[in-house]
Amino acid sequence: MSNQNHPGVIAPPPLIYFGFLFLGWGLGQWVGDHTLGLALEWRRGVAVVLIIGGLMLDGMAAGTFRRFGTAPEPWKPSTALVESGPYRFSRNPIYVGFAVTYAGLAVAMDSLWALALLIPCLVVIDRWVILREERYLESRFGQPYRDYKARVRRWL
């Protein structure tokens, strides 16, 4: 990693999630999608709960960052180590929220391919976004960040 004052993630995380979601949808269109097998009413209900839950978690997590005066965007410098709010339970609640929202959108689209691609999407987020962020935060905040890592799980 260079001396830049941000983690140098490979792409904005929302674009990674949407890229995988639309790749899954496209694969389904191209090779023939298999449905999730849920009745429309159930699918809508599950999708709404997941999408709203994911967006609420994202909003709470981003709001917590903003209250501490630091940007939630990983391409901007971190000015504070946030350990409260949803960050007490997960070091990456925004990415958890994105994953829940993604699952809700895949259910809403009735796309088994899109839902299946959530797994490789999370691998990309974990390996090429979160690991870079963790190296950056450790170099930025030192022992307090290492202590936080020891107390709080990466995902859940």
Side-chain angles (χ1 to χ4, degrees):
M1 184 168 73
S2 70
N3 291 335
Q4 62 195 12
N5 193 15
H6 57 83
V9 298
I10 61 167
L15 290 180
I16 296 169
Y17 281 93
F18 279 119
F20 274 92
L21 183 69
F22 289 118
L23 175 62
W25 177 82
L27 279 170
Q29 298 299 307
W30 185 51
V31 299
D33 204 357
H34 299 284
T35 67
L36 299 172
L38 294 173
L40 181 60
E41 296 79 23
W42 276 100
R43 199 178 72 221
R44 283 183 181 162
V46 168
V48 166
V49 167
L50 290 173
I51 292 167
I52 290 173
L55 292 174
M56 287 177 62
L57 179 56
D58 287 338
M60 286 187 326
T64 303
F65 265 14
R66 292 201 192 321
R67 278 193 298 285
F68 279 82
T70 194
E73 301 88 2
W75 53 89
K76 294 182 179 178
S78 292
T79 57
L81 178 58
V82 178
E83 300 179 50
S84 62
Y87 294 92
R88 291 175 298 167
F89 309 106
S90 170
R91 295 194 313 262
N92 297 286
I94 291 175
Y95 299 147
V96 172
F98 285 167
V100 171
T101 301
Y102 176 115
L105 291 170
V107 168
M109 295 173 1
D110 200 19
S111 175
L112 189 58
W113 278 101
L115 193 58
L117 286 184
L118 178 56
I119 301 297
C121 176
L122 294 177
V123 170
V124 169
I125 291 293
D126 192 67
R127 298 294 166 223
W128 286 281
V129 175
I130 292 174
L131 287 180
R132 289 176 184 219
E133 288 179 347
E134 288 182 341
R135 282 192 302 268
Y136 165 72
L137 292 170
E138 193 164 327
S139 71
R140 178 99 170 134
F141 298 108
Q143 191 60 45
Y145 182 71
R146 286 189 289 279
D147 294 342
Y148 173 64
K149 272 178 56 173
R151 282 192 321 276
V152 178
R153 293 180 178 191
R154 180 178 286 164
W155 286 95
L156 291 174

